Amino acid sequence: MSIMWLVCLCLLAHACTFSARPIVHLSEPNRWRMMKNSTDEAGSGGSPTCRTGNPIDDCWRCDPDWEANRKVLADCGIGFGRDAIGGRDGEFYVVTTEEDDPRNPRQGMLRHAVIQNEPLWIIFERDMSISLIEELMMNSYKTIDGRGFNVEISNGPCITIQGVNNIIIHGIYIHNCVQAGNAVVTDAPQHYELRGISDGDGINIFGAHDVWIDHCTLSHCHDGLIDVVSGSTAITVSNNYMFRHNEVMLMGHSDDYLEDKKMQVTIAFNYFGEGLVQRMPRCRHGYFHVVNNVYTGWEMYAIGGSANPTINSQGNVFIAADDDTTKEVTKRESVPGDEEWKSWNWRSDGDLLLNGAKFVTSGNATAASYAKASSMVARPASLLTNIIPAAGVINCRIGQSC
């Protein structure tokens, strides 16, 4: 019997520990949280275990010269957003100041970097806590790479990816984002516009394509943590750690916005942690591959939707809370008495449903129905004991293994 299978059996039996402590009986959410925390602490002073089965991390994290080879990351994407190259083909831009000026950004500001017309790979001079005055409007072909330092965007409006393409955001802690607006904001060199009130999302992806959000930590925002709306497609949201938030991720602008029928989004290797309520994600119209994530509880539901989205749930771990009223993973938003939802293609394939979790499937059960909602090969859910603890911002330090 393999070691990984033994680990899986331990999880299911509620009798496995992840340290030398005496055996105690913990709830499944607490067990996964302990495992994640212990792995974070262990990784702070040493190198990661290579070849965990996470195809993104296995692509670059084992390289001891990751700092010199940062742009390798752009070739490590998976899922529907795998072609996002960000600023791979451009120069490096070093952010040197935490200051912000929405109208006239200066050299060295994050805002000055993201609005440039040419491709740029944006890195940071030191640890930074950036509080933006207005939403950060990004231009195409940009990578924001926080590896090597602790970089936060918080306590102000946050990131807007609108009408652009080829964006990578990696290794940023985004939290306590608020609304702003009715102000002039620069979105390109020598170009600015009057913006209305922003939503207060951590990351808002609006009418964009080829976008990859990886290894970020997100919490406590006014609206969504990551929202993908208004005809956006070719999106991957991977390896993120999300916690303490109500409406986590919205996919699709409205039930009447038919342009979202082309939407394809991959949500993979994320850790949905403590204090989350709903929308992990909430989907409309398009095609959604929810694959190899860990859910440690939800106060309302985990995966929901309306307007006939196709949801392909594969190899996830769903750990319901102890509350008997919140065991169901799924929720359909439909007119009371209308059973149209029974034709929506929602499947659960290889998911681990723990502590009474229940996934209500619907629609055509054939694999062909999910072709447009398949973006990668799912790993067995049992492997997530190795993969998921690395979710969120990684403690990468210059001159050390990542």
Side-chain angles (χ1 to χ4, degrees):
M1 183 176 290
S2 70
I3 293 175
M4 189 53 61
W5 181 238
L6 285 171
V7 171
C8 186
L9 287 178
C10 287
L11 284 170
L12 295 171
H14 293 234
C16 187
T17 57
F18 302 94
S19 68
R21 298 170 184 171
I23 292 176
V24 292
H25 293 281
L26 299 170
S27 69
E28 288 291 357
N30 283 336
R31 187 179 310 286
W32 281 86
R33 202 169 297 126
M34 280 179 58
M35 183 178 64
K36 182 183 190 306
N37 291 340
S38 65
T39 305
D40 288 345
E41 292 166 3
S44 62
S47 61
T49 300
C50 292
R51 305 295 178 252
T52 64
N54 182 320
I56 299 169
D57 289 0
D58 289 351
C59 177
W60 70 271
R61 283 192 70 190
C62 294
D63 180 2
D65 296 321
W66 66 268
E67 182 190 357
N69 301 315
R70 284 178 179 271
K71 292 183 180 181
V72 168
L73 178 68
D75 298 318
C76 297
I78 62 167
F80 291 124
R82 61 185 172 272
D83 293 331
I85 62 171
R88 183 192 66 189
D89 299 333
E91 300 294 327
F92 286 100
Y93 184 114
V94 181
V95 176
T96 59
T97 178
E98 298 175 347
E99 295 177 355
D100 182 42
D101 185 338
R103 179 67 180 265
N104 296 298
R106 301 184 303 280
Q107 180 76 33
M109 292 181 179
L110 176 60
R111 189 180 301 275
H112 183 269
V114 302
I115 65 169
Q116 300 306 310
N117 289 326
E118 67 271 19
L120 289 174
W121 196 279
I122 301 162
I123 58 177
F124 296 83
E125 183 183 56
R126 53 184 169 79
D127 291 353
M128 290 193 180
S129 180
I130 298 173
S131 295
L132 298 164
I133 298 171
E134 298 293 340
E135 60 186 319
L136 189 72
M137 302 292 296
M138 295 195 65
N139 208 337
S140 294
Y141 292 96
K142 301 293 181 292
T143 299
I144 301 178
D145 179 0
R147 287 175 295 176
F149 298 105
N150 293 323
V151 179
E152 300 180 44
I153 297 176
S154 64
N155 299 302
C158 291
I159 299 174
T160 297
I161 303 169
Q162 179 173 330
V164 297
N165 63 84
N166 283 281
I167 301 293
I168 299 173
I169 299 177
H170 180 101
I172 308 295
Y173 181 22
I174 301 168
H175 63 98
N176 294 97
C177 301
V178 303
Q179 292 181 296
N182 285 336
V184 172
V185 180
T186 299
D187 57 4
Q190 290 79 51
H191 185 269
Y192 50 84
E193 62 177 304
L194 179 63
R195 299 287 296 178
I197 300 296
S198 62
D199 290 340
D201 296 328
I203 300 175
N204 182 281
I205 303 171
F206 185 104
H209 64 87
D210 294 294
V211 177
W212 180 23
I213 312 300
D214 187 55
H215 273 299
C216 293
T217 298
L218 304 103
S219 69
H220 296 93
C221 292
H222 176 81
D223 192 19
L225 295 183
I226 302 174
D227 282 5
V228 183
V229 299
S230 298
S232 298
T233 192
I235 312 294
T236 293
V237 178
S238 60
N239 290 314
N240 300 290
Y241 174 37
M242 292 171 251
F243 68 100
R244 300 291 177 194
H245 191 76
N246 180 10
E247 297 176 334
V248 180
M249 289 193 292
L250 175 65
M251 306 281 138
H253 179 70
S254 70
D255 288 359
D256 298 327
Y257 194 82
L258 302 184
E259 184 71 11
D260 283 330
K261 286 187 175 182
K262 71 179 184 182
M263 184 178 290
Q264 290 180 299
V265 181
T266 300
I267 299 167
F269 303 118
N270 299 288
Y271 185 94
F272 294 98
E274 65 274 15
L276 298 179
V277 179
Q278 59 181 315
R279 297 190 178 184
M280 298 173 251
R282 187 220 191 277
C283 308
R284 291 183 170 107
H285 291 299
Y287 299 90
F288 305 93
H289 198 188
V290 184
V291 53
N292 289 143
N293 304 281
V294 169
Y295 295 78
T296 62
W298 48 90
E299 294 183 24
M300 290 180 61
Y301 67 89
I303 298 174
S306 60
N308 193 18
T310 297
I311 296 175
N312 187 8
S313 174
Q314 292 188 300
N316 300 289
V317 176
F318 295 103
I319 310 168
D322 292 333
D323 186 344
D324 288 339
T325 66
T326 61
K327 297 297 186 184
E328 187 170 333
V329 172
T330 52
K331 180 182 180 181
R332 276 84 168 174
E333 299 282 354
S334 59
V335 177
D338 187 349
E339 296 190 344
E340 179 189 355
W341 66 267
K342 292 183 178 180
S343 66
W344 300 352
N345 290 322
W346 294 22
R347 77 167 173 179
S348 173
D349 177 19
D351 293 329
L352 279 178
L353 299 164
L354 304 178
N355 203 33
K358 179 182 178 182
F359 190 112
V360 177
T361 61
S362 59
N364 190 333
T366 65
S369 303
Y370 297 92
K372 288 187 177 180
S374 296
S375 61
M376 54 175 278
V377 176
R379 275 60 179 171
S382 59
L383 289 179
L384 300 190
T385 55
N386 275 353
I387 295 172
I388 295 300
V393 175
I394 306 170
N395 188 14
C396 292
R397 285 294 172 181
I398 303 300
Q400 301 179 8
S401 297
C402 200

